[in-house]
Amino acid sequence: MLSTNMTASGFTATRNTIMGQLANNLRLLLIYLIVCEAYSNSSIRSVVVVGGTHGNEYTGVWCIRHLEANPEELLQYGTLDIKTILGNPEAHMQNRRFIHDDLNRQFSSERLSADPLDVHEAIRARELDELLGPKLGQPKTDLVIDLHTTTSNMGITLIVPEEDILICQAAAYVLHKCEDLGDSVQVLMHPLPDRHSRPNLGSTASHALTIEVGPVPQGV
């Protein structure tokens, strides 16, 4: 974990290392999806990479800003339409995890159907559902890749929905390739295979994958 007396150069080096690891994971995922699209019945064409679902988790925000500043990097994945979204801009501006409530718990069918009652994240969830979903209909987005950090010592962990065969296979491909390179990656399955029963942002799309990196301090 980063210490409070880390120098600016040391912090930058650590940040660049984490971003490099995330970038490699994203690259492997996208390559796998291209191969699937070419040689199977995979229907994934539209991909959205989300950073800042929690406003004080900066690593995902750095990654999407890098992609936005270097759009040519996405051209190599020609069959995929890749976009980026800052999940909770207001919370990020205030360097807070959220303003009123956890954005990543606002996407259950019940909450999306309820009155948002001036809760910032509930309102933002409806905006994102309109952009990415709709969750309760036919989503515009085939895959959401949501980038997170944690203070827990999880290393790089790919979190995939149980029974989503395509995304589980993609995560296994990344795991295998990273092992070949000597990098440590874990895959974690969560037991809510039906996206309609999940409350997280990724459930607005047809498929979802979360990349969690830790330990990383929040808000820096």
Side-chain angles (χ1 to χ4, degrees), residues 53-55 88 91 96-107 111 116 118-125:
T53 298
H54 295 133
N88 197 338
R96 297 169 59 180
R97 183 176 176 85
F98 51 76
I99 302 300
H100 296 126
D101 200 359
D102 190 338
L103 177 61
N104 218 26
R105 295 295 180 270
Q106 302 301 315
F107 295 90
R111 289 205 176 190
D118 295 326
V119 175
H120 173 77
E121 280 74 19
I123 296 169
R124 179 60 175 158

Side-chain angles (χ1 to χ4, degrees), residues 3-145:
S3 64
T4 55
N5 62 351
M6 174 175 281
T7 64
S9 60
F11 176 79
T12 300
T14 301
R15 181 189 70 180
N16 290 342
T17 297
I18 293 171
M19 286 185 62
Q21 292 171 331
L22 269 177
N24 187 52
N25 278 257
L26 281 173
R27 180 181 63 83
L28 291 170
L29 280 169
L30 297 173
I31 288 172
Y32 183 83
L33 295 175
I34 291 172
V35 172
C36 284
E37 197 277 328
Y39 294 103
S40 73
N41 293 322
S42 166
S43 59
I44 290 185
R45 292 290 184 88
S46 59
V47 177
V48 175
V49 182
V50 181
T53 298
H54 295 133
N56 62 346
E57 296 180 8
Y58 279 34
T59 304
V61 179
W62 295 332
C63 286
I64 65 170
R65 285 179 175 169
H66 174 80
L67 292 174
E68 290 164 358
N70 300 275
E72 69 280 357
E73 292 187 10
L74 300 179
L75 297 179
Q76 61 186 308
Y77 310 108
T79 61
L80 299 177
D81 177 20
I82 305 169
K83 295 182 172 64
T84 61
I85 285 182
L86 180 57
N88 197 338
E90 184 63 29
H92 181 63
M93 287 292 294
Q94 296 188 32
N95 195 21
R96 297 169 59 180
R97 183 176 176 85
F98 51 76
I99 302 300
H100 296 126
D101 200 359
D102 190 338
L103 177 61
N104 218 26
R105 295 295 180 270
Q106 302 301 315
F107 295 90
S108 66
S109 301
E110 293 77 16
R111 289 205 176 190
L112 287 173
S113 301
D115 188 332
L117 298 174
D118 295 326
V119 175
H120 173 77
E121 280 74 19
I123 296 169
R124 179 60 175 158
R126 282 155 181 75
E127 296 171 354
L128 290 168
D129 186 55
E130 184 175 347
L131 288 169
L132 305 174
K135 176 167 182 167
L136 302 180
Q138 183 58 45
K140 306 177 188 71
T141 307
D142 297 323
L143 171 64
V144 163
I145 301 174

Side-chain angles (χ1 to χ4, degrees), residues 48-53 104 144-148 201-202 209-212:
V48 175
V49 182
V50 181
T53 298
N104 218 26
V144 163
I145 301 174
D146 198 7
L147 306 179
H148 286 263
L201 189 155
L209 183 145
T210 298
I211 303 180
E212 189 95 41

